Amino acid sequence: MSLPSINPTKTETWKALEEHFQKIENLQMQDVFEKDSDRAERFKIEWQDFYLDYSKNRITDETISLLLKLAEEVELKEAIAQQFSGEKINETEDRAVLHTALRDFENMKPEVKTTLQKMKLFSEEIISGNHKGFTGKGITDIVNIGIGGSHLGPEMVVEALQFYKNHLKIHFIANIDGDDVSEKLKTLNPETTLFIIVSKSFTTQETIVNASFVRDWFLKNASKADIEKHFVAVSTNEKGAKDFGISEENIFPMQDWVGGRFSLWSSVGLSICCAVGFKNFEAMLKGAFGMDTHFKNEDFSKNIPIILALLSVWYNNFFKAESEAVVPYSQYLNKLVPYLQQAIMESNGKSIDLNGEKINYQTGTIVWGNVGSNSQHAYFQLLHQGTKLIPTDFIGFAEPLAGNTNNHNVLMANYLAQTEALWEGTHFKTVENPFKIFEGNKPTNSLLIKRLTPKNLGSLIAMYEHKLFVQGIIWNIFSYDQWGVELGKTVAKGTLNAIEKNNPEKIENTSTINLLKKVFGNKKD
Ligand code: F6P
């Protein structure tokens, strides 16, 4: 069965939304809010440890009811059911999309259970020091070698759960930049380091080149037989991993129905397991499953990912907002935005609809941001007084982890004050100096989570996964493929060939030829 394919702009609700937009586009919504004492109560959702306040948005009750109608008209319910049932909704790659099945412990597929068990046992051996390196010493450092989804998720989570971390030091080699690889290796001792090569395909150029370099570095001190104690792989491509020299028992399998950018829940999360222990990893999976259940079963009007997705469509397609920001008020979440950039922009950066037709409306939002309060001292000027409309998600935690209440009070005062200042501006004040006028009316969502636990982190990540899926359904695009990354890879292969063969003429574009000559010179001359 195929996903419903409905051009959103041809629906009745879209037209109604366009008309409604004309009416409220120029409204200073602060006045509406002031007169409506119940607004903050109506535009909020409470679920487990999550509290979403979306009242500071340029919406009325009519906006929300129209957006909810749009979701129905594009048959979102049907699409959600198809995804969870394992239909091959990633049609262009002929694959199901089942990262949610990795966290559904009650209905877990046997192969997923087996892999989880393998991850548990392995990580316990590493953490306890029972697993010995080639000179008999325990492992102190773990290096995840992988890129894209094989890097961003694990790194983001390891950082986010630093509070729960054990003694192991976790490093990430992703970039093909050799300088970075050398810097990382400088700090490592081959006797006590474990390398996890993570690549769903095991063909990704950066990962294979980096892993080969690291293996050569390791072999300067050790023998081929020692590889077994220091190199493991995570991949769907068992043959590729074996050809690289990884022994069969050191391969952690993953399934082709897990997309790279949704794979941190799979064996790709091995570095997470090692960093925080299997129990915390499992708690994160359970938190994600909780959000899956909420998303699948909750009424659309009380459904956090759906409401967030609809608001984002409202700004993207009606207000023509070009981007949205995400600002977590927690240093632990400083890698969240790069992670979301891949998840969201690789998924929804599409311009062809489900029928293969060119789209004439806006799709994928540009996502950017950084942690608060640092961001306030960097780009917030533009949010407050710039010409662009940038809807922003503010993520905060009610309780600090380390018990520093004083700092936490200041942090949260800023979290709360910024959404208020962005919304109200100087609207209710008389300000003569034009440079000191703040128009306000800047939309924000405030997501307040009780505490940054592994469980709540799992729910948070799953929330954004579902949000992007809903947007893809509304925009009538395939969110789960990524053909747009392929052309660059092919061209780079040709360019590398030209560099290695010292033959710039193999390249046709004169601009690129000139650049290439500047970088490498033309050794033929
Ligand atoms: O180039 C994009 C991409 O295919 C991502 O979707 C993926 O996460 C990344 O490359 C890494 O792929 P792999 O895990 O197969 O090495």
Side-chain angles (χ1 to χ4, degrees), residues 269-289:
L270 187 59
S271 58
I272 304 173
C273 274
C274 292
V276 296
F278 185 80
K279 234 173 115 213
N280 284 318
F281 182 71
E282 192 179 42
M284 187 182 72
L285 296 186
K286 289 186 174 159
F289 177 69

Side-chain angles (χ1 to χ4, degrees), residues 6 66-77 300:
I6 295 161
L66 285 171
L67 288 168
L68 290 168
K69 225 169 130 197
L70 177 67
E72 273 170 35
E73 228 180 313
V74 298
E75 297 177 15
L76 177 62
K77 220 174 186 52
F300 284 7

Side-chain angles (χ1 to χ4, degrees), residues 363-381:
T363 62
T365 42
I366 299 164
V367 181
W368 60 283
N370 197 355
V371 290
S373 61
N374 304 21
S375 309
Q376 294 171 203
H377 301 272
Y379 57 79
F380 266 43
Q381 163 69 38

Side-chain angles (χ1 to χ4, degrees), residues 146-151 198-207 234-236 254 259-263 268 342 346 482 485-486 489:
I147 198 163
S150 297
H151 157 234
V198 186
S199 177
K200 180 179 170 185
S201 59
F202 225 85
T203 57
T204 302
Q205 186 191 42
E206 290 95 327
T207 302
V234 171
S235 189
T236 55
M254 60 186 289
R261 54 194 176 275
F262 307 97
S263 64
V268 168
Q342 189 204 9
E346 194 166 87
Q482 58 285 313
V485 298
E486 294 307 322
K489 291 182 189 172

Side-chain angles (χ1 to χ4, degrees), residues 499-510:
I499 292 169
E500 285 175 347
K501 301 240 160 68
N502 189 25
N503 187 0
E505 275 69 36
K506 283 211 160 167
I507 294 172
E508 280 168 22
N509 184 296
T510 50

Side-chain angles (χ1 to χ4, degrees), residues 115-183:
T115 305
L116 270 182
Q117 186 60 15
K118 185 169 167 145
M119 289 166 76
K120 179 176 186 288
L121 295 177
F122 183 78
S123 56
E124 281 169 1
E125 287 292 285
I126 297 290
I127 297 166
S128 66
N130 283 346
H131 178 107
K132 303 286 183 212
F134 69 96
T135 57
K137 294 180 183 159
I139 297 297
T140 56
D141 292 74
I142 293 183
V143 185
N144 185 100
I145 306 175
I147 198 163
S150 297
H151 157 234
L152 292 163
E155 185 176 43
M156 181 267 288
V157 173
V158 168
E159 193 98 355
L161 298 183
Q162 208 180 318
F163 182 75
Y164 306 88
K165 255 192 88 242
N166 53 37
H167 61 284
L168 294 168
K169 290 194 218 86
I170 316 287
H171 314 260
F172 292 87
I173 292 181
N175 203 328
I176 189 59
D177 180 353
D179 291 341
D180 181 57
V181 182
S182 298
E183 286 300 332

